[in-house]
Amino acid sequence: MTITELKHLYQRNLLAEAIVEPAESDGGWIVEFRHTQGGFLLLTDTHGAECQYEDLDLASKTAMAVGFSEVRIEAK
């Protein structure tokens, strides 16, 4: 889901948590969100491709841009 779509879900109180975790490839980071009704939503670009960040701080700031004041970081 794009950041805009995720912001709409956050505003409707449908997201429970923001999580930054290691990407499976390239040693980067991905951002996902836990839905209040279960399941996870991955941050993607407008073409549906997974957004990856090389910098943990940038990934965290992006997750917080959705609306959360804190983000859970999963260890590598």
Side-chain angles (χ1 to χ4, degrees):
M1 297 194 89
T2 66
I3 196 162
T4 302
E5 293 169 322
L6 289 162
K7 283 180 181 181
H8 289 296
L9 291 176
Y10 178 83
Q11 291 167 354
R12 293 172 44 210
N13 295 315
L14 293 174
L15 297 179
E17 181 179 30
I19 306 159
V20 174
E21 62 183 36
E24 291 187 21
S25 61
D26 301 328
W29 300 90
I30 59 169
V31 180
E32 65 181 11
F33 298 85
R34 187 166 52 90
H35 197 281
T36 56
Q37 296 177 350
F40 293 91
L41 304 169
L42 183 64
L43 176 63
T44 63
D45 63 19
T46 56
H47 303 289
E50 176 182 272
C51 292
Q52 283 195 25
Y53 301 88
E54 291 185 22
D55 181 80
L56 177 59
D57 287 335
L58 182 57
S60 298
K61 287 177 184 174
T62 302
M64 290 173 48
V66 168
F68 288 94
S69 59
E70 52 185 58
V71 176
R72 179 164 49 113
I73 309 295
E74 291 289 322
K76 277 192 171 187

